[in-house]
Amino acid sequence: MINKEQEIERVSCLIIGSGPAGYTAAIYAARADLKPVVYTGMVPGGQLTQTTEVDNFPGYPKGITGPVMMEDLRAQAERFGTDVRFGYATKVDFSNDGGIHKVEIDGIKTIEAETVIIATGATAKWLGLESEEKYNGFGVSACAVCDGFFYKGQDVAIVGAGDTAAEEATYLAKLCRKVYMLVRRDEFRASKAMVHRVNNTANIEVLYNTEAVEILGDGQVVNAVRVINNQTNVTQDIDVTGFFVAIGHKPNTELFQGILDMDETGYLITKADSTATNIPGVFACGDVQDHVFRQAITAAGTGCMSALEAERYLMAKEDVVLS
Ligand code: NDP
């Protein structure tokens, strides 16, 4: 429960998160006069601020960098009156007492909101190597669909053995000359159909029992990956210019555990053809509820849906009061 001594502010629409989903929800909510307040979270702009070029978001024929695109989205949301604030949701009370949800910000302030749009996203998991961090954006990526194009005709490696890794390996195989797939066990976790697809792609070489120990480069960009066979302890350097990490994502949903319905991996569950959660007036959009597509444009699409649904929810509430 939220501490009653805290500073309290009431809003009709609170948006938690500032990726493409959160800002698109803000644009729509602001234009519908819901006067949305966005709390950005610790990484204003979300995952895209950690990528370089974005070439697949419609409307940017020459491409755009992730950070600039997120600044554009923020400016567009602010143009219609969105109040964008730096802050982090630390506690929620969705008991819907009197039609009001309470969200604590930074442990010091309470926002009472008639509607809450959750757009807290997901975080890519990384191996945790120092060199992986050093070359992130310069040969290291956690999104083949976003960055694969830059490695056209080149040799790349991808680590992971789940459906995402299998899907991304086959995606990369269409663009790249050769794809080395590093699988830490002697088998895949991915579905049989996906494994079949990998095994039937001529330019994918699967290296089982193999782990990446170092990403090698010239100080600027990647030129190889050092791997070890965890059965034989033999190491080797494989020449690649791109290194993709596909070992899963973690949805940012700790705050909602035990409160909102989520699947076994923590993704929020929304109703069919809707962004409504199991709590009336609470909506979820973007990667926090989508483990399948995870694209900026799909996140923006569901952000739009959340704002429209929040608006309809508020109108329905008003109709009940008037009748
Ligand atoms: P998963 O958790 O299913 O798989 C993660 C993979 O990464 C596992 O193979 C795991 O290995 C490996 N891994 C984890 N940590 C490391 C590490 N430190 N070093 C090396 N390898 C590591 O994640 P996904 O993102 O693949 O999938 C998430 C969910 O989304 C799944 O339910 C999946 O089915 C679903 N999905 C569905 C798709 C579709 O239907 N088209 C597409 C993509 C995802 P190990 O197996 O040894 O644990």
Side-chain angles (χ1 to χ4, degrees):
M1 293 296 281
I2 306 288
N3 175 3
K4 287 206 168 61
E5 300 300 309
Q6 291 171 338
E7 185 194 337
I8 294 173
E9 178 184 355
R10 181 157 303 192
V11 304
S12 62
C13 180
L14 172 67
I15 299 170
I16 311 174
S18 56
Y23 279 145
T24 305
I27 292 166
Y28 275 77
R31 286 170 58 85
D33 211 22
L34 303 188
K35 299 183 174 50
V37 170
V38 171
Y39 275 96
T40 59
M42 298 307 271
V43 186
Q47 288 183 81
L48 274 179
T49 58
Q50 281 147 22
T51 64
T52 46
E53 289 297 311
V54 178
D55 274 339
N56 54 9
F57 199 90
Y60 293 105
K62 295 186 176 139
I64 182 121
T65 68
V68 172
M69 187 177 119
M70 295 320 298
E71 274 307 305
D72 282 352
L73 277 171
R74 175 189 173 129
Q76 194 174 353
E78 286 180 331
R79 185 177 141 217
F80 300 109
T82 304
D83 186 347
V84 180
R85 304 172 185 174
F86 182 75
Y88 195 75
T90 40
K91 217 181 271 181
V92 297
D93 173 358
F94 290 157
S95 51
N96 205 11
D97 194 9
I100 291 294
H101 299 296
K102 296 178 187 146
V103 177
E104 181 188 80
I105 305 293
D106 296 330
I108 52 169
K109 181 181 172 96
T110 301
I111 302 287
E112 294 188 341
E114 287 180 88
T115 59
V116 178
I117 294 178
I118 297 167
T120 48
T123 308
K125 291 186 191 162
W126 296 96
L127 296 174
L129 303 172
E130 215 173 278
S131 49
E132 173 190 54
E133 203 176 317
K134 177 176 172 188
Y135 289 110
N136 190 357
F138 302 93
V140 173
S141 166
C143 180
V145 178
C146 318
D147 298 328
F149 182 79
F150 304 116
Y151 303 92
K152 215 168 176 183
Q154 301 171 39
D155 294 352
V156 298
I158 183 164
V159 57
D163 280 326
T164 301
E167 200 167 84
E168 296 202 342
T170 49
Y171 178 85
L172 289 169
K174 292 197 191 101
L175 299 167
C176 302
R177 191 170 59 179
K178 172 107 191 208
V179 179
Y180 295 94
M181 203 169 174
L182 314 180
V183 175
R184 68 177 172 183
R185 289 186 293 137
D186 60 358
E187 60 175 0
F188 276 88
R189 177 179 297 273
S191 59
K192 279 207 174 82
M194 289 305 299
V195 177
H196 183 74
R197 203 181 297 172
V198 166
N199 288 336
N200 282 283
T201 305
N203 60 339
I204 299 179
E205 183 178 340
V206 181
L207 302 174
Y208 289 101
N209 300 310
T210 301
E211 296 174 39
V213 286
E214 206 66 71
I215 318 301
L216 307 172
D218 61 4
Q220 303 287 319
V221 292
V222 169
N223 54 31
V225 55
R226 180 162 300 150
V227 300
I228 187 167
N229 181 306
N230 56 30
Q231 299 300 300
T232 61
N233 282 334
V234 172
T235 60
Q236 62 166 321
D237 293 349
I238 304 172
D239 291 343
V240 291
T241 48
F243 182 79
F244 290 86
V245 181
I247 60 171
H249 284 74
K250 193 174 165 301
N252 300 318
T253 54
E254 293 86 352
L255 202 57
F256 314 112
Q257 251 155 28
I259 300 171
L260 295 178
D261 288 348
M262 43 184 89
D263 69 15
E264 66 283 355
T265 47
Y267 284 89
L268 296 184
I269 295 173
T270 50
K271 302 208 165 106
D273 301 324
S274 164
T275 62
T277 67
N278 55 308
I279 306 267
V282 179
F283 305 89
C285 52
D287 287 10
V288 74
Q289 52 85 57
D290 169 22
H291 63 77
V292 179
F293 300 106
R294 289 199 302 248
Q295 298 302 300
I297 189 66
T298 50
T302 53
C304 160
M305 287 166 67
S306 279
L308 294 177
E309 291 189 281
E311 187 193 355
R312 282 173 201 157
Y313 170 85
L314 289 170
M315 274 167 54
K317 244 173 78 170
E318 224 169 83
D319 288 347
V320 171
V321 173
L322 293 176
S323 63

